[in-house]
Amino acid sequence: DGGITQSPKYLFRKEGQNVTLSCEQNLNHDAMYWYRQDPGQGLRLIYYSQIVNDFQKGDIAEGYSVSREKKESFPLTVTSAQKNPTAFYLCASSIVIPGREQFFGPGTRLTVL
Amino acid sequence: KQEVTQIPAALSVPEGENLVLNCSFTDSAIYNLQWFRQDPGKGLTSLLLIQSSQREQTSGRLNASLDKSSGRSTLYIAASQPGDSATYLCAVRRDAGGTSYGKLTFGQGTILTVHP
């Protein structure tokens, strides 16, 4: 089955800790994205990558970091510098052609204790 | 800066009703518009994608229209069912001016409840 997987589904972090969220896709998509969703709000773009070893900041990149060493994988690290990290995090991917839809993973809910 | 607004924020209807969800955007220079469904605690499922040159798209009981010049889109759901209960999100992709990437800007969503 082709798709996007995110792990873990739930993640708890103590203040001051860095945590890494996993995103893997087997759709052969070049582009991958990380979004954050807060209650009652739409999604906001954190980082995106159009090709391996390249990525760009989105609207709310402060306190986050990413890497793109493989086409299939785009992990997101939430650092201690992120002031309000409790949120639902969604990963997406798409082919790099204008107008093509993005496909989303099931999400990771991060809670800071 | 593109802003996307969805009205109403929440909607509760009896089963069988036809309903309309609204999405408006401030910058008409869009490449396309996408409607998504999100079930509680889940990821997004793409419902319909309308290119900027199109006026509407249909899939089963769903019909989405786009009026780019007025900055509006509507999602029409016919003969609603309890299984349609979810949050519906619209997102616009900006016109990237020939480059391959166009950012998606999301509305805050409409929470739909269809009761038996």
Side-chain angles (χ1 to χ4, degrees), chain A:
Chain A
D1 286 336
I4 303 174
T5 58
Q6 291 185 241
S7 62
K9 186 173 183 178
Y10 299 98
L11 186 57
F12 298 90
R13 189 195 93 173
K14 294 181 180 179
E15 286 192 13
Q17 286 183 335
N18 293 352
V19 291
T20 297
L21 283 59
S22 169
C23 177
E24 304 277 333
Q25 54 96 3
N26 61 3
L27 300 169
N28 200 32
H29 287 169
D30 285 302
M32 297 187 74
Y33 315 82
W34 274 107
Y35 294 90
R36 169 183 172 136
Q37 186 177 33
D38 294 284
Q41 297 189 32
L43 280 66
R44 292 181 290 168
L45 183 65
I46 305 173
Y47 268 98
Y48 65 97
S49 168
Q50 296 188 75
I51 195 170
V52 173
N53 292 324
D54 184 62
F55 47 83
Q56 305 295 329
K57 293 182 179 180
D59 295 324
I60 54 167
E62 184 176 355
Y64 299 97
S65 66
V66 293
S67 63
R68 187 85 188 277
E69 298 177 359
K70 298 187 301 181
K71 184 176 183 178
E72 301 79 17
S73 178
F74 191 39
L76 173 74
T77 297
V78 184
T79 75
S80 57
Q82 169 50 234
K83 299 304 180 186
N84 185 22
T86 295
F88 190 51
Y89 291 86
L90 288 156
C91 177
S93 71
S94 72
I95 60 175
V96 185
I97 294 178
R100 294 304 177 98
E101 61 192 312
Q102 292 184 15
F103 294 88
F104 283 77
T108 292
R109 184 165 301 280
L110 172 63
T111 302
V112 174
L113 303 174

Side-chain angles (χ1 to χ4, degrees), chain B residues 91-111:
Chain B
V92 297
R93 183 188 305 274
R94 70 178 174 89
D95 188 339
T99 63
S100 60
Y101 176 75
K103 172 191 165 184
L104 274 181
T105 302
F106 283 82
Q108 78 280 18
T110 293
I111 302 171

